[in-house]
Amino acid sequence: KKVGFAIVGLGKYATEQMLPNFKNCQHARIAALVSGSPDKARRLAAEYGVEPKNLYSYQNFDTLKDNPEVDVVYIVLPPGLHAEYTVRAAQAGKHVLCEKPMANTPEECQRMIEACRKAGKQLMIAYRAQYEPFNLDAIARIRKGELGKLRMITADHGRQVQPTKDPADAWRVQKKLAGGGSLMDIGIYSLNAARYLTGEEPVEVTAQEHSDKADPRFREVEDVIHFTLRFPSGVLASCTSAYSIEGVKRYRAFGDKAWLDLDPATDYNRHRMIIGDQDGERQPQLKEGNQFAAELDHMAECVRQNQTPKTPGEEGLRDIKLIMAIYEAARKGKPVKV
Ligand code: NAD
């Protein structure tokens, strides 16, 4: 029997990427929907074969505890709501898959970890790039030494945030719901990639930020942020994110023998890898995979086998702690040890 997921928040990412990908899962299925909009919930329930009795609102969310068809609560709400709904889901006796960024603060992340631990339930953060074949291949090549000794990483993520045009961007410029700006939402991909490519934890960060306060988008959250991470092996990562540039989702890892470029690195599909060295450049022919189904199936298997997910709450907490250190470094204009 497949593991049943209750999807909380039927916004852009849930409806455009995740709901359609359950059909590609071997172990996960949609068991319930939670929404503030009954019409939307009914329409999607009909489309995905969810029984009307398995539709919930934010008001009766806690009664999920009485529904044995739901094993996992998958939280696809703005980050400012992740802690509240994760804690409530754990208290309802459910495992939790929560979208990135994990929460607004390290304290909220700790509460989420503690609530799931106390309930004896798994907590996984939906870092889809860590289930995506090109990224996994890049990690494997680096570990095997294909680039020689890793020296530097550059990683950039950016796009135009459009709060007046795209409803999914409205919360992204509100500090209370988003926790921060481009760094929290997409710079986290640069940060997380620097950590999984090196397999190390940074010991020091520096940062600079620039936001045009005359642009109404950046009254509460940051636009451009540039940060560096110093790793114990000596690798330096130079990372950026911005909400005022055209789309970019790329990274490059430089070793003393070769470099590896993924561009795009963290998109939904059509990834591209190039490896270069003194003899020239080549493009390994990798097969595109379904990172969404892989992520959902991983959660389902962890629930079945009572195993800690590859990207548990602690992984989300590490990024949020580092993000706080990056903001501090930008504010103080000084390196911050972590
Ligand atoms: P969205 O605004 O389209 O979806 C959020 C949903 O939450 C909406 O349906 C909204 O109605 C609902 N909601 C409930 N209570 C709310 C409240 N008080 N205020 C605002 N909204 C409320 O946004 P999205 O882009 O789908 O993002 C949702 C989550 O998914 C975020 O955590 C985001 O970071 C994450 N996300 C992840 C990826 C990824 O690739 N892993 C991509 C996009 C978004």
Side-chain angles (χ1 to χ4, degrees):
K1 191 170 162 280
K2 288 186 177 179
V3 172
F5 284 62
I7 321 302
V8 186
L10 304 177
K12 188 175 181 177
Y13 186 62
T15 59
E16 292 181 10
Q17 307 303 329
M18 298 314 293
L19 290 177
N21 268 304
F22 272 90
K23 70 172 181 302
N24 300 315
C25 291
Q26 281 179 42
H27 309 294
R29 69 177 191 98
I30 306 168
L33 301 176
V34 182
S35 172
S37 151
D39 288 346
K40 182 164 59 175
R42 271 195 292 273
R43 180 172 53 75
L44 289 164
E47 189 178 340
Y48 290 103
V50 178
E51 290 177 60
K53 71 170 172 59
N54 291 342
L55 297 186
Y56 293 81
S57 66
Y58 296 105
Q59 283 69 40
N60 68 9
F61 174 87
D62 305 278
T63 63
L64 276 168
K65 75 172 187 310
D66 303 319
N67 191 337
E69 288 179 55
V70 174
D71 304 292
V72 176
V73 169
Y74 176 24
I75 296 163
V76 206
L77 296 167
L81 300 169
H82 290 180
E84 178 191 341
Y85 282 90
T86 296
V87 171
R88 283 168 67 179
Q91 286 171 351
K94 304 300 177 185
H95 302 278
V96 178
L97 172 61
C98 178
E99 265 309 323
K100 50 51 67 179
M102 184 171 173
N104 284 5
T105 64
E107 293 70 30
E108 287 183 351
C109 297
Q110 297 279 17
R111 270 203 285 131
M112 294 160 74
I113 292 169
E114 185 54 23
C116 292
R117 194 197 55 77
K118 232 171 112 183
K121 299 291 155 184
Q122 303 296 348
L123 170 58
M124 169 168 153
I125 308 304
Y127 281 114
R128 63 179 167 74
Q130 293 200 44
Y131 301 89
E132 191 286 315
F134 281 65
N135 282 271
L136 296 175
D137 188 82
I139 296 168
R141 286 174 196 270
I142 291 171
R143 294 290 180 282
K144 273 193 307 207
E146 202 174 312
L147 309 185
K149 188 167 163 40
L150 198 59
R151 306 301 299 151
M152 333 187 288
I153 290 168
T154 59
D156 306 295
H157 284 82
R159 66 182 191 88
Q160 286 286 357
V161 76
Q162 298 186 306
T164 53
K165 284 196 196 140
D166 186 347
D169 278 354
W171 61 261
R172 284 182 163 84
V173 297
Q174 298 172 41
K175 178 115 199 281
K176 201 161 162 253
L177 285 168
S182 71
L183 174 58
M184 271 280 191
D185 188 41
I186 50 179
I188 193 169
Y189 288 107
S190 297
L191 171 61
N192 200 249
R195 291 180 45 243
Y196 61 70
L197 292 173
T198 55
E200 297 178 54
E201 295 302 331
V203 290
E204 187 184 68
V205 307
T206 69
Q208 284 186 303
E209 185 237 302
H210 178 78
S211 309
D212 177 3
K213 290 294 166 194
D215 186 328
R217 297 178 296 175
F218 307 122
R219 288 206 184 115
E220 295 187 19
V221 302
E222 82 280 357
D223 173 15
V224 177
I225 191 152
H226 173 211
F227 57 97
T228 66
L229 309 167
R230 178 189 294 282
F231 289 93
S233 64
V235 172
L236 295 179
S238 172
C239 307
T240 66
S241 66
Y243 263 166
S244 58
I245 61 173
E246 272 311 308
V248 56
K249 310 175 170 189
R250 68 171 188 196
Y251 61 65
R252 188 177 278 206
F254 302 80
D256 59 9
K257 290 202 180 79
W259 51 260
L260 181 154
D261 190 274
L262 268 197
D263 186 3
T266 56
D267 214 338
Y268 294 154
N269 51 36
R270 287 194 281 277
H271 295 87
R272 190 187 54 154
M273 182 184 287
I274 296 175
I275 296 175
D277 60 20
Q278 59 178 3
D279 299 326
E281 294 180 9
R282 62 195 172 88
Q283 193 171 338
Q285 288 312 305
L286 304 178
K287 209 170 149 268
E288 196 74 48
N290 189 322
Q291 59 190 319
F292 308 99
E295 175 184 271
L296 293 167
D297 275 339
H298 178 72
M299 180 71 195
E301 289 200 281
C302 287
V303 165
R304 271 199 191 139
Q305 293 159 13
N306 196 23
Q307 269 175 11
T308 306
K310 186 174 128 179
T311 52
E314 288 76 7
E315 171 76 356
L317 169 62
R318 274 186 212 114
D319 278 346
I320 299 302
K321 276 187 177 162
L322 285 163
I323 285 173
M324 296 303 130
I326 292 166
Y327 284 141
E328 186 189 337
R331 230 175 15 248
K332 292 185 173 160
K334 281 199 286 214
V336 171
K337 295 244 187 295
V338 284

